[in-house]
């Protein structure tokens, strides 16, 4: 697999240390290269294509447990995924042939696929719901509760966020362009709650008022900002899918369909003439 800024070659580790490459710009897909016996896990329905030597199986839960994981462990893993809005099942792709084999996954929304090695970030990443795309087998997908009531109610993602734990590679999907900020101890940034994509477990996450009453009501930036205080890493996305969907619905109008008079001086008269 050729080298690129979004590629990786195998090193020894506890989780399967898969090789990968992320291709594309705005509409990206992930290509994972497996050695014999290696496995990758993904959300159900994320696969684009695979080599015939890679076997696909659907498992209950997040697929992170080994052969000694009992029924209760699997049930707990599946329950965590259900709470975060994910499917009860994940798909495991295992190379059962010889040589190298590849499998590709795509994100369901426009944006960026971000590769992160969890052991470089303390072993835990907290991110928005529905952000998990794929991972090396051995990564656990769980939940993170917001302990502060106001943060849970108005933090954009509610009380529950997705928590990814392990030491291997994980691939998360984020909207638009992604910026990583490394916060020094005590350093603080304010982020639109929808644009907060992920942060490491040592970052203190709370809410701060967006300003005075007039700013809250008419500023268009919401009532609260996410306040993140270091030390730690924070990932910010420029275009949350909810914002994109809202703009699409607004552009379609309450009647739906095409608006040929949009942006013209004719306004509703243009709509009447054109049959809208």
């Amino acid at each position: 697999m050729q080298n690129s800024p979004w590629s990786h070659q195998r090193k020894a580790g506890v989780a399967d240390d898969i090789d990968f490459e992320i291709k594309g710009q705005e509409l990206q897909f992930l290509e994972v290269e497996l050695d014999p016996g290696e496995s990758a896990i993904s959300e159900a329905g994320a696969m684009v294509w695979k080599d015939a030597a890679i076997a696909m199986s659907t498992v209950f839960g997040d697929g992170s447990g080994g052969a000694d994981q009992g029924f209760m462990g699997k049930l707990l893993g599946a329950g965590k995924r259900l709470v975060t809005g994910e499917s009860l099942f994940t798909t495991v792709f295992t190379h059962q042939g010889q040589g190298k084999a590849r499998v590709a996954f795509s994100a369901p929304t426009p944006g960026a696929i971000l590769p992160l090695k969890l052991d470089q970030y303390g072993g835990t990443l907290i991110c928005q719901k529905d952000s998990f795309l794929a991972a090396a087998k051995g990564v656990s997908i769980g939940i993170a509760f917001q302990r502060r009531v106001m943060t849970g109610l108005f933090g954009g993602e509610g009380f529950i966020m997705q928590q990814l734990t392990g030491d291997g590679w994980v691939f998360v999907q984020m909207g638009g362009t992604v910026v990583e900020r490394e916060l020094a101890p005590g350093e603080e940034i304010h982020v639109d709650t929808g644009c907060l994509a992920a942060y490491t477990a040592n970052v203190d996450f709370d809410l701060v008022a967006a300003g005075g009453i007039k700013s809250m009501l008419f500023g268009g930036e919401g009532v609260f900002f996410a306040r993140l205080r270091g030390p730690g890493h924070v990932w910010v996305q420029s275009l949350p899918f909810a914002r994109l969907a809202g703009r699409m619905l607004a552009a379609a109008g309450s009647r739906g369909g095409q608006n040929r008079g949009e942006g013209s001086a004719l306004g509703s008269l243009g709509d009447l003439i054109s049959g809208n």
Side-chain angles (χ1 to χ4, degrees):
M1 183 173 292
Q2 67 184 64
N3 291 319
S4 81
W6 298 110
S7 65
H8 168 73
Q9 280 72 45
R10 178 180 176 83
K11 296 179 182 178
V14 176
D16 285 2
D17 191 18
I18 55 179
D19 304 338
F20 67 86
E21 185 175 358
I22 295 174
K23 298 183 177 181
Q25 299 298 322
E26 290 79 14
L27 298 172
Q28 297 182 332
F29 74 93
L30 165 69
E31 188 176 281
V32 173
E33 187 175 80
L34 300 175
D35 292 323
E38 282 187 337
S39 297
I41 61 173
S42 77
E43 281 296 340
M47 190 199 79
V48 179
W49 60 269
K50 70 179 182 68
D51 287 334
I54 294 180
M56 182 180 72
S57 61
T58 301
V59 298
F60 194 55
D62 61 10
S64 61
D68 59 342
Q69 186 183 36
F71 173 76
M72 291 305 297
K74 295 179 181 179
L75 185 63
L76 180 60
K80 290 179 180 180
R81 291 175 49 75
L82 186 62
V83 169
T84 57
E86 305 288 356
S87 167
L88 285 171
F89 300 91
T90 52
T91 307
V92 180
F93 298 86
T94 304
H95 183 10
Q96 296 184 341
Q98 302 295 322
K100 302 282 189 177
R102 299 181 182 182
V103 58
F105 310 100
S106 67
T109 58
I113 299 174
L114 193 65
L116 298 170
K117 190 75 157 52
L118 290 178
D119 62 0
Q120 298 176 0
Y121 299 99
T124 300
L125 182 71
I126 300 171
C127 51
Q128 63 178 352
K129 291 181 290 186
D130 301 324
S131 61
F132 172 77
L133 176 65
K137 188 175 182 181
V139 172
S140 175
I141 309 163
I143 55 178
F145 288 96
Q146 300 298 338
R147 295 181 177 86
R148 300 182 179 95
V149 174
M150 292 297 290
T151 305
L153 291 176
F154 302 104
E157 292 296 332
F159 282 105
I160 302 168
M161 298 182 74
Q162 208 166 50
Q163 180 172 294
L164 307 174
T165 307
D167 64 353
W169 286 100
V170 65
F171 305 93
V172 291
Q173 53 198 10
M174 301 178 182
T177 301
V178 180
V179 174
E180 179 183 358
R181 289 286 303 269
E182 182 177 358
L183 302 181
E187 184 179 1
E188 186 176 303
I189 61 171
H190 298 168
V191 182
D192 179 277
T193 55
C195 292
L196 174 60
Y199 58 94
T200 52
N202 52 336
V203 172
D204 181 56
F205 173 37
D206 203 352
L207 296 180
V208 62
I213 298 298
K214 185 167 72 172
S215 296
M216 291 181 181
L217 294 178
F218 306 108
E221 300 297 337
V223 179
F224 298 102
F225 293 138
R227 189 221 67 194
L228 300 127
R229 180 178 295 157
H233 294 260
V234 175
W235 289 266
V236 180
Q237 58 186 357
S238 65
L239 184 60
F241 180 69
R243 181 179 296 178
L244 175 62
R247 290 295 181 93
M248 294 172 65
L249 289 173
S254 59
R255 296 168 296 174
Q258 184 180 7
N259 185 358
R260 299 182 180 88
E262 180 181 358
S264 71
L266 292 174
S268 58
L269 178 60
D271 292 343
L272 180 63
I273 295 173
S274 62
N276 285 336

